[in-house]
Amino acid sequence: MVANGVAMADGRDEPAVQGPYSPASSPDGSFAPFRFPAFRNVWSANVLSQIGSQIQLVGAGWLMTELTSEHRMVAAVQAASPLSMLLLSVLAGGVADNFDRRRVMLAAQWFMLLVSAALAVQAWLGMLQPWSLLTFSLLVGAGMTMQMPAWQASVRTLVDSRVLPQAISLNSIAFNLARTVGPAIGGIVLAMAGVSIAFAINALSYVAMIVVFTQWQPSVAPPLRNPLLPSIMAGTRYVFGSSPLRRLIFRGAAYASAAMALQALLPVVVREGIHGNASDYGLMLGAFGVGSVAGALLSQKLRRAGGAELTIGVATACAAAALAGLAIVHTVLTAIPFTFIGGVGWTTCLTTLNVGTQLRSRDDMLGRSMAIYQAVTFGMAAIAAWCWGMLSDLAGIRITLAVASATLVVSGMVLRFLLPMPAPGEGVLLSRN
């Protein structure tokens, strides 16, 4: 059942304690969700799977720089997952709200395992070309996209609603912890064993999630099955009919479109800007991952201290500084701090928007709400990544990064007034456990 949410005394958009619980007993620490065994098991398996995904991302990104000199193709393989979200997220949200979410996630994991295994075989045989590599990357992204709304909507079944924001942040930390470890491992694997082994490791990493999802038996009511297309249309009307959700989505799209330039063009920065190698690329991605973990931890403190608008402002400043810095550096050592700052900004912003969207969505619309948020935000990031790659082909990597930095600053200042972040408690819906 959905209850009307109210702002807490300190202005936080977090669930108030309901029912028999008292504020004094509320487990509101950052790591409180680990007290729930189901969450702990799924989170641990997810870290392993995400490490494998990061190893594959390093391999695919670096391999594309060897297969082609076109910056837009390098950017495209980095944007494969966001592009999949643009194409499939809304469908995935409808599936998540109309089918058994555990089975949806299991099917997605098996699909990604098979695709990654086929990619490893193709790489071993030396048969990959730029477009085939991009196709395999899109297929892996499609599997991830079909799983994501079901996974995000399932978090509420893993923990108490009192610690839902912490659980969301810990999921972000899982991904970004993998971003810290995975690229470093990926760089070593590429240097010592080759790209096909990197892809094979990713295929094996899905086994942990398959085992956990097979054993997990959540106590949830079966979903009310509705025709898929009307269900998607109803979700779209719900999301865009809500002013707080609409503003969160458009702010996310604006931020991701400009900030994505860093991730999309990082292989080009390493190969051409600082004349690095695959290990340097893994190190740079690792620095981005460390920054992302810091950003996930920082976002909750910033939201509590100054609200969502301040948090998004800090994230925008970090990303703009990172892009501007990478436009002028010439060595790995000078580039790493800016990549770290970029990771801080990226996760600080997207964690804040993710929490805001989840807390403002009805239970029966949650899968579709998250899917539409992802489709718009990451879909725009994918389109922008291709555009940044084209601009880099025409004007050079350094000018492109400078333009992206300026775009972030201007859009952040303008949207602060045109599309302000929801006020504390505005539109918050709290689920009673």
Side-chain angles (χ1 to χ4, degrees):
M1 181 173 65
V2 175
N4 292 329
V6 294
M8 298 182 70
D10 59 358
R12 290 176 288 169
D13 282 345
E14 299 185 11
V17 177
Q18 307 274 355
Y21 302 106
S22 67
S25 65
S26 177
D28 60 355
S30 297
F31 300 100
F34 286 133
R35 299 176 185 176
F36 298 85
F39 179 85
R40 190 167 60 243
N41 292 339
V42 174
W43 189 91
S44 300
N46 188 40
V47 170
L48 293 176
S49 179
Q50 291 293 343
I51 288 174
S53 297
Q54 290 301 311
I55 292 172
Q56 175 163 308
L57 182 63
V58 173
W62 195 252
L63 179 60
M64 187 62 87
T65 66
E66 296 178 348
L67 296 176
T68 178
S69 61
E70 294 182 359
H71 294 180
R72 61 179 177 270
M73 290 299 293
V74 177
V77 79
Q78 301 299 309
S81 182
L83 181 59
S84 298
M85 291 182 187
L86 171 64
L87 299 175
L88 295 174
S89 266
V90 178
L91 172 63
V95 170
D97 285 338
N98 284 278
F99 294 89
D100 185 318
R101 289 167 178 163
R102 185 184 71 91
R103 293 187 177 183
V104 169
M105 292 185 284
L106 264 174
Q109 290 292 323
W110 275 110
F111 175 79
M112 288 186 286
L113 186 154
L114 294 174
V115 170
S116 297
L119 175 60
V121 171
Q122 291 274 301
W124 180 266
L125 297 174
M127 297 174 62
L128 288 175
Q129 298 298 321
W131 283 102
S132 59
L133 175 59
L134 181 58
T135 300
F136 275 111
S137 298
L138 284 168
L139 289 173
V140 173
M144 190 176 300
T145 299
M146 291 304 296
Q147 172 190 275
M148 197 171 296
W151 162 235
Q152 291 182 325
S154 296
V155 174
R156 293 184 180 185
T157 67
L158 293 169
V159 299
D160 191 285
S161 64
R162 296 169 299 163
V163 297
L164 180 59
Q166 294 97 311
I168 296 169
S169 293
L170 284 172
N171 281 337
S172 180
I173 289 173
F175 174 70
N176 293 300
L177 180 62
R179 272 186 166 176
T180 303
V181 179
I185 297 175
I188 295 171
V189 171
L190 283 179
M192 298 183 63
V195 70
S196 61
I197 300 302
F199 295 155
I201 290 173
N202 181 50
L204 291 174
S205 74
Y206 295 113
V207 173
M209 288 293 277
I210 290 172
V211 170
V212 169
F213 284 146
T214 300
Q215 295 177 344
W216 178 45
Q217 299 294 332
S219 300
V220 295
L224 297 175
R225 190 76 58 84
N226 296 304
L228 202 54
L229 184 57
S231 178
I232 290 171
M233 295 302 296
T236 303
R237 288 193 299 270
Y238 170 74
V239 169
F240 288 102
S242 166
S243 176
L245 290 177
R246 194 167 60 243
R247 280 177 277 149
L248 286 165
I249 287 172
F250 288 139
R251 288 295 291 269
Y255 177 89
S257 296
M260 185 65 187
L262 190 157
Q263 296 176 70
L265 296 173
L266 190 59
V268 179
V269 171
V270 175
R271 182 176 283 276
E272 299 182 14
I274 61 177
H275 305 291
N277 55 31
S279 297
D280 295 327
Y281 178 48
L283 187 62
M284 294 276 281
L285 280 175
F288 188 93
V290 173
S292 296
V293 173
L297 295 171
L298 176 67
S299 62
Q300 186 177 8
K301 297 182 184 298
L302 280 175
R303 289 196 307 273
R304 290 186 173 188
E309 196 67 72
L310 172 66
T311 306
I312 299 300
V314 170
T316 300
C318 287
L323 288 163
L326 289 175
I328 61 175
V329 298
H330 292 87
T331 67
V332 174
L333 290 179
T334 54
I336 284 176
F338 291 110
T339 313
F340 170 85
I341 293 171
V344 171
W346 180 262
T347 308
T348 297
C349 178
L350 296 186
T351 299
T352 299
L353 295 170
N354 191 312
V355 170
T357 302
Q358 291 213 34
L359 295 181
R360 289 170 173 84
S361 300
R362 289 189 346 229
D363 282 340
D364 61 323
M365 291 286 184
L366 181 57
R368 282 163 284 182
S369 296
M370 294 308 301
I372 292 168
Y373 157 72
Q374 289 160 3
V376 176
T377 298
F378 296 106
M380 288 301 299
I383 294 170
W386 179 266
C387 294
W388 293 125
M390 292 179 64
L391 179 60
S392 184
D393 282 326
L394 294 172
I397 183 64
R398 298 190 184 279
I399 291 177
T400 301
L401 293 173
V403 170
S405 176
T407 301
L408 258 176
V409 172
V410 173
S411 64
M413 289 169 39
V414 171
L415 293 179
R416 181 184 180 94
F417 298 100
L418 293 183
L419 294 171
M421 292 290 291
E426 181 186 354
V428 172
L429 299 172
L430 304 181
S431 175
R432 296 182 189 271
N433 281 347

